mmCIF file of all heavy atoms in Angstrom:
data_model
loop_
_atom_site.group_PDB
_atom_site.id
_atom_site.type_symbol
_atom_site.label_atom_id
_atom_site.label_comp_id
_atom_site.label_asym_id
_atom_site.label_seq_id
_atom_site.Cartn_x
_atom_site.Cartn_y
_atom_site.Cartn_z
ATOM 1 N N SER X 270 -6.501 -24.943 201.494
ATOM 2 C CA SER X 270 -5.058 -24.696 201.352
ATOM 3 C C SER X 270 -4.237 -25.974 201.208
ATOM 4 O O SER X 270 -3.144 -26.091 201.759
ATOM 5 C CB SER X 270 -4.540 -23.879 202.540
ATOM 6 O OG SER X 270 -5.190 -22.638 202.598
ATOM 7 N N ILE X 271 -4.779 -26.962 200.489
ATOM 8 C CA ILE X 271 -3.980 -28.163 200.213
ATOM 9 C C ILE X 271 -3.204 -27.910 198.926
ATOM 10 O O ILE X 271 -3.343 -28.605 197.927
ATOM 11 C CB ILE X 271 -4.874 -29.419 200.098
ATOM 12 C CG1 ILE X 271 -5.786 -29.513 201.306
ATOM 13 C CG2 ILE X 271 -4.041 -30.673 199.989
ATOM 14 C CD1 ILE X 271 -6.546 -30.793 201.445
ATOM 15 N N LYS X 272 -2.384 -26.898 198.973
ATOM 16 C CA LYS X 272 -1.583 -26.544 197.800
ATOM 17 C C LYS X 272 -0.196 -27.181 197.860
ATOM 18 O O LYS X 272 0.564 -27.089 196.908
ATOM 19 C CB LYS X 272 -1.466 -25.023 197.696
ATOM 20 C CG LYS X 272 -2.808 -24.352 197.434
ATOM 21 C CD LYS X 272 -2.666 -22.848 197.284
ATOM 22 C CE LYS X 272 -4.022 -22.205 197.040
ATOM 23 N NZ LYS X 272 -3.925 -20.736 196.883
ATOM 24 N N SER X 273 0.099 -27.820 198.995
ATOM 25 C CA SER X 273 1.384 -28.503 199.122
ATOM 26 C C SER X 273 1.299 -29.961 198.676
ATOM 27 O O SER X 273 2.237 -30.730 198.873
ATOM 28 C CB SER X 273 1.869 -28.433 200.573
ATOM 29 O OG SER X 273 0.932 -29.065 201.444
ATOM 30 N N LEU X 274 0.174 -30.326 198.052
ATOM 31 C CA LEU X 274 -0.051 -31.691 197.606
ATOM 32 C C LEU X 274 1.076 -32.138 196.670
ATOM 33 O O LEU X 274 1.444 -31.428 195.738
ATOM 34 C CB LEU X 274 -1.394 -31.764 196.873
ATOM 35 C CG LEU X 274 -2.074 -33.130 196.761
ATOM 36 C CD1 LEU X 274 -2.500 -33.608 198.138
ATOM 37 C CD2 LEU X 274 -3.280 -33.026 195.845
ATOM 38 N N LYS X 275 1.615 -33.337 196.911
ATOM 39 C CA LYS X 275 2.701 -33.858 196.076
ATOM 40 C C LYS X 275 2.250 -34.969 195.144
ATOM 41 O O LYS X 275 2.876 -35.217 194.112
ATOM 42 C CB LYS X 275 3.855 -34.345 196.959
ATOM 43 C CG LYS X 275 4.560 -33.213 197.684
ATOM 44 C CD LYS X 275 5.832 -33.684 198.353
ATOM 45 C CE LYS X 275 6.576 -32.505 198.973
ATOM 46 N NZ LYS X 275 7.858 -32.924 199.601
ATOM 47 N N TYR X 276 1.178 -35.684 195.514
ATOM 48 C CA TYR X 276 0.639 -36.754 194.668
ATOM 49 C C TYR X 276 -0.843 -36.548 194.479
ATOM 50 O O TYR X 276 -1.587 -36.308 195.437
ATOM 51 C CB TYR X 276 0.888 -38.130 195.288
ATOM 52 C CG TYR X 276 0.097 -39.234 194.607
ATOM 53 C CD1 TYR X 276 0.589 -39.858 193.472
ATOM 54 C CD2 TYR X 276 -1.146 -39.617 195.087
ATOM 55 C CE1 TYR X 276 -0.138 -40.845 192.831
ATOM 56 C CE2 TYR X 276 -1.890 -40.608 194.466
ATOM 57 C CZ TYR X 276 -1.376 -41.214 193.329
ATOM 58 O OH TYR X 276 -2.117 -42.194 192.695
ATOM 59 N N LEU X 277 -1.316 -36.645 193.246
ATOM 60 C CA LEU X 277 -2.748 -36.560 192.946
ATOM 61 C C LEU X 277 -3.112 -37.662 191.966
ATOM 62 O O LEU X 277 -2.549 -37.768 190.868
ATOM 63 C CB LEU X 277 -3.089 -35.197 192.340
ATOM 64 C CG LEU X 277 -4.540 -35.010 191.857
ATOM 65 C CD1 LEU X 277 -5.513 -35.177 193.030
ATOM 66 C CD2 LEU X 277 -4.714 -33.633 191.217
ATOM 67 N N GLY X 278 -4.027 -38.551 192.375
ATOM 68 C CA GLY X 278 -4.519 -39.622 191.513
ATOM 69 C C GLY X 278 -5.996 -39.423 191.225
ATOM 70 O O GLY X 278 -6.801 -39.228 192.143
ATOM 71 N N ILE X 279 -6.366 -39.444 189.955
ATOM 72 C CA ILE X 279 -7.757 -39.212 189.531
ATOM 73 C C ILE X 279 -8.211 -40.424 188.722
ATOM 74 O O ILE X 279 -7.623 -40.744 187.683
ATOM 75 C CB ILE X 279 -7.858 -37.931 188.680
ATOM 76 C CG1 ILE X 279 -7.373 -36.723 189.498
ATOM 77 C CG2 ILE X 279 -9.287 -37.704 188.203
ATOM 78 C CD1 ILE X 279 -7.194 -35.466 188.679
ATOM 79 N N PHE X 280 -9.255 -41.116 189.184
ATOM 80 C CA PHE X 280 -9.653 -42.387 188.601
ATOM 81 C C PHE X 280 -11.159 -42.430 188.318
ATOM 82 O O PHE X 280 -11.970 -41.953 189.115
ATOM 83 C CB PHE X 280 -9.304 -43.548 189.548
ATOM 84 C CG PHE X 280 -7.858 -43.602 189.954
ATOM 85 C CD1 PHE X 280 -7.420 -42.949 191.095
ATOM 86 C CD2 PHE X 280 -6.925 -44.282 189.190
ATOM 87 C CE1 PHE X 280 -6.094 -42.994 191.487
ATOM 88 C CE2 PHE X 280 -5.590 -44.334 189.564
ATOM 89 C CZ PHE X 280 -5.181 -43.691 190.706
ATOM 90 N N ASP X 281 -11.508 -43.017 187.184
ATOM 91 C CA ASP X 281 -12.896 -43.391 186.886
ATOM 92 C C ASP X 281 -13.877 -42.226 186.933
ATOM 93 O O ASP X 281 -15.016 -42.365 187.416
ATOM 94 C CB ASP X 281 -13.380 -44.495 187.840
ATOM 95 C CG ASP X 281 -12.563 -45.761 187.684
ATOM 96 O OD1 ASP X 281 -12.485 -46.272 186.553
ATOM 97 O OD2 ASP X 281 -11.991 -46.235 188.673
ATOM 98 N N LEU X 282 -13.464 -41.077 186.422
ATOM 99 C CA LEU X 282 -14.404 -39.962 186.270
ATOM 100 C C LEU X 282 -15.030 -40.085 184.887
ATOM 101 O O LEU X 282 -14.543 -39.520 183.912
ATOM 102 C CB LEU X 282 -13.675 -38.621 186.435
ATOM 103 C CG LEU X 282 -13.069 -38.362 187.813
ATOM 104 C CD1 LEU X 282 -12.395 -37.006 187.850
ATOM 105 C CD2 LEU X 282 -14.126 -38.435 188.895
ATOM 106 N N THR X 283 -16.104 -40.834 184.808
ATOM 107 C CA THR X 283 -16.642 -41.241 183.508
ATOM 108 C C THR X 283 -17.289 -40.105 182.724
ATOM 109 O O THR X 283 -17.467 -40.220 181.513
ATOM 110 C CB THR X 283 -17.669 -42.370 183.714
ATOM 111 O OG1 THR X 283 -18.696 -41.914 184.612
ATOM 112 C CG2 THR X 283 -17.005 -43.599 184.298
ATOM 113 N N LYS X 284 -17.662 -39.007 183.390
ATOM 114 C CA LYS X 284 -18.326 -37.904 182.690
ATOM 115 C C LYS X 284 -17.448 -36.664 182.573
ATOM 116 O O LYS X 284 -17.871 -35.660 182.003
ATOM 117 C CB LYS X 284 -19.634 -37.545 183.396
ATOM 118 C CG LYS X 284 -20.659 -38.670 183.376
ATOM 119 C CD LYS X 284 -21.971 -38.239 184.018
ATOM 120 C CE LYS X 284 -22.991 -39.375 184.001
ATOM 121 N NZ LYS X 284 -24.262 -38.951 184.615
ATOM 122 N N LEU X 285 -16.260 -36.737 183.078
ATOM 123 C CA LEU X 285 -15.379 -35.572 183.074
ATOM 124 C C LEU X 285 -14.846 -35.287 181.667
ATOM 125 O O LEU X 285 -14.356 -36.175 180.985
ATOM 126 C CB LEU X 285 -14.202 -35.818 184.017
ATOM 127 C CG LEU X 285 -13.291 -34.626 184.273
ATOM 128 C CD1 LEU X 285 -14.005 -33.588 185.122
ATOM 129 C CD2 LEU X 285 -12.009 -35.074 184.960
ATOM 130 N N ARG X 286 -14.935 -34.014 181.224
ATOM 131 C CA ARG X 286 -14.446 -33.630 179.894
ATOM 132 C C ARG X 286 -13.222 -32.731 179.963
ATOM 133 O O ARG X 286 -12.447 -32.680 179.010
ATOM 134 C CB ARG X 286 -15.554 -32.953 179.096
ATOM 135 C CG ARG X 286 -16.704 -33.901 178.770
ATOM 136 C CD ARG X 286 -17.656 -33.309 177.768
ATOM 137 N NE ARG X 286 -18.683 -34.266 177.386
ATOM 138 C CZ ARG X 286 -18.548 -35.200 176.460
ATOM 139 N NH1 ARG X 286 -17.404 -35.294 175.804
ATOM 140 N NH2 ARG X 286 -19.521 -36.040 176.190
ATOM 141 N N TYR X 287 -13.037 -32.019 181.038
ATOM 142 C CA TYR X 287 -11.839 -31.206 181.215
ATOM 143 C C TYR X 287 -11.633 -30.965 182.706
ATOM 144 O O TYR X 287 -12.548 -31.119 183.514
ATOM 145 C CB TYR X 287 -11.941 -29.872 180.463
ATOM 146 C CG TYR X 287 -13.078 -28.992 180.905
ATOM 147 C CD1 TYR X 287 -12.891 -28.061 181.926
ATOM 148 C CD2 TYR X 287 -14.331 -29.076 180.305
ATOM 149 C CE1 TYR X 287 -13.929 -27.253 182.344
ATOM 150 C CE2 TYR X 287 -15.370 -28.269 180.716
ATOM 151 C CZ TYR X 287 -15.176 -27.358 181.742
ATOM 152 O OH TYR X 287 -16.203 -26.559 182.147
ATOM 153 N N PHE X 288 -10.420 -30.597 183.062
ATOM 154 C CA PHE X 288 -10.082 -30.351 184.451
ATOM 155 C C PHE X 288 -10.230 -28.874 184.791
ATOM 156 O O PHE X 288 -10.052 -28.012 183.928
ATOM 157 C CB PHE X 288 -8.642 -30.786 184.744
ATOM 158 C CG PHE X 288 -8.465 -32.270 184.706
ATOM 159 C CD1 PHE X 288 -7.496 -32.834 183.892
ATOM 160 C CD2 PHE X 288 -9.242 -33.094 185.479
ATOM 161 C CE1 PHE X 288 -7.328 -34.201 183.846
ATOM 162 C CE2 PHE X 288 -9.082 -34.469 185.445
ATOM 163 C CZ PHE X 288 -8.119 -35.012 184.631
ATOM 164 N N PRO X 289 -10.519 -28.569 186.046
ATOM 165 C CA PRO X 289 -10.615 -27.168 186.452
ATOM 166 C C PRO X 289 -9.233 -26.523 186.498
ATOM 167 O O PRO X 289 -8.241 -27.151 186.866
ATOM 168 C CB PRO X 289 -11.225 -27.250 187.858
ATOM 169 C CG PRO X 289 -10.845 -28.604 188.353
ATOM 170 C CD PRO X 289 -10.835 -29.497 187.151
ATOM 171 N N THR X 290 -9.163 -25.272 186.129
ATOM 172 C CA THR X 290 -7.871 -24.575 186.099
ATOM 173 C C THR X 290 -7.260 -24.432 187.490
ATOM 174 O O THR X 290 -6.059 -24.184 187.607
ATOM 175 C CB THR X 290 -8.040 -23.176 185.482
ATOM 176 O OG1 THR X 290 -9.049 -22.468 186.219
ATOM 177 C CG2 THR X 290 -8.452 -23.280 184.029
ATOM 178 N N GLN X 291 -8.071 -24.622 188.539
ATOM 179 C CA GLN X 291 -7.521 -24.499 189.887
ATOM 180 C C GLN X 291 -6.413 -25.519 190.164
ATOM 181 O O GLN X 291 -5.560 -25.308 191.026
ATOM 182 C CB GLN X 291 -8.635 -24.692 190.943
ATOM 183 C CG GLN X 291 -9.689 -23.595 190.916
ATOM 184 C CD GLN X 291 -10.877 -24.017 190.068
ATOM 185 O OE1 GLN X 291 -10.708 -24.599 189.003
ATOM 186 N NE2 GLN X 291 -12.069 -23.711 190.551
ATOM 187 N N LEU X 292 -6.431 -26.632 189.423
ATOM 188 C CA LEU X 292 -5.392 -27.637 189.632
ATOM 189 C C LEU X 292 -3.999 -27.096 189.326
ATOM 190 O O LEU X 292 -2.997 -27.622 189.801
ATOM 191 C CB LEU X 292 -5.665 -28.874 188.763
ATOM 192 C CG LEU X 292 -6.784 -29.802 189.236
ATOM 193 C CD1 LEU X 292 -6.966 -30.944 188.262
ATOM 194 C CD2 LEU X 292 -6.471 -30.353 190.616
ATOM 195 N N LEU X 293 -3.942 -26.075 188.526
ATOM 196 C CA LEU X 293 -2.653 -25.500 188.176
ATOM 197 C C LEU X 293 -2.000 -24.779 189.350
ATOM 198 O O LEU X 293 -0.832 -24.398 189.270
ATOM 199 C CB LEU X 293 -2.813 -24.535 187.001
ATOM 200 C CG LEU X 293 -3.209 -25.210 185.685
ATOM 201 C CD1 LEU X 293 -3.567 -24.156 184.653
ATOM 202 C CD2 LEU X 293 -2.105 -26.098 185.183
ATOM 203 N N ASN X 294 -2.754 -24.589 190.433
ATOM 204 C CA ASN X 294 -2.193 -23.941 191.610
ATOM 205 C C ASN X 294 -1.413 -24.910 192.488
ATOM 206 O O ASN X 294 -0.843 -24.508 193.501
ATOM 207 C CB ASN X 294 -3.318 -23.303 192.441
ATOM 208 C CG ASN X 294 -3.986 -22.151 191.706
ATOM 209 O OD1 ASN X 294 -3.319 -21.395 191.005
ATOM 210 N ND2 ASN X 294 -5.293 -22.042 191.839
ATOM 211 N N LEU X 295 -1.385 -26.199 192.108
ATOM 212 C CA LEU X 295 -0.661 -27.200 192.894
ATOM 213 C C LEU X 295 0.818 -27.164 192.512
ATOM 214 O O LEU X 295 1.348 -28.067 191.867
ATOM 215 C CB LEU X 295 -1.259 -28.590 192.655
ATOM 216 C CG LEU X 295 -2.741 -28.740 193.033
ATOM 217 C CD1 LEU X 295 -3.257 -30.110 192.652
ATOM 218 C CD2 LEU X 295 -2.928 -28.506 194.537
ATOM 219 N N THR X 296 1.486 -26.128 192.929
ATOM 220 C CA THR X 296 2.869 -25.890 192.481
ATOM 221 C C THR X 296 3.865 -26.869 193.080
ATOM 222 O O THR X 296 4.994 -26.963 192.599
ATOM 223 C CB THR X 296 3.294 -24.458 192.819
ATOM 224 O OG1 THR X 296 3.106 -24.240 194.223
ATOM 225 C CG2 THR X 296 2.464 -23.459 192.028
#
């Protein structure tokens, strides 16, 4: 339930091609 997150930093994910749709729940 960390849906109240206000800052998200994503760094150096060298194999990542797309983000999970769950991130859209960070309203």
Side-chain angles (χ1 to χ4, degrees):
S270 299
I271 309 190
K272 295 182 181 180
S273 60
L274 202 67
K275 292 190 175 182
Y276 168 85
L277 175 61
I279 300 169
F280 305 91
D281 298 304
L282 296 181
T283 57
K284 296 183 180 180
L285 188 71
R286 294 191 175 276
Y287 61 90
F288 291 126
T290 55
Q291 294 95 318
L292 285 178
L293 293 171
N294 294 323
L295 300 175
T296 55

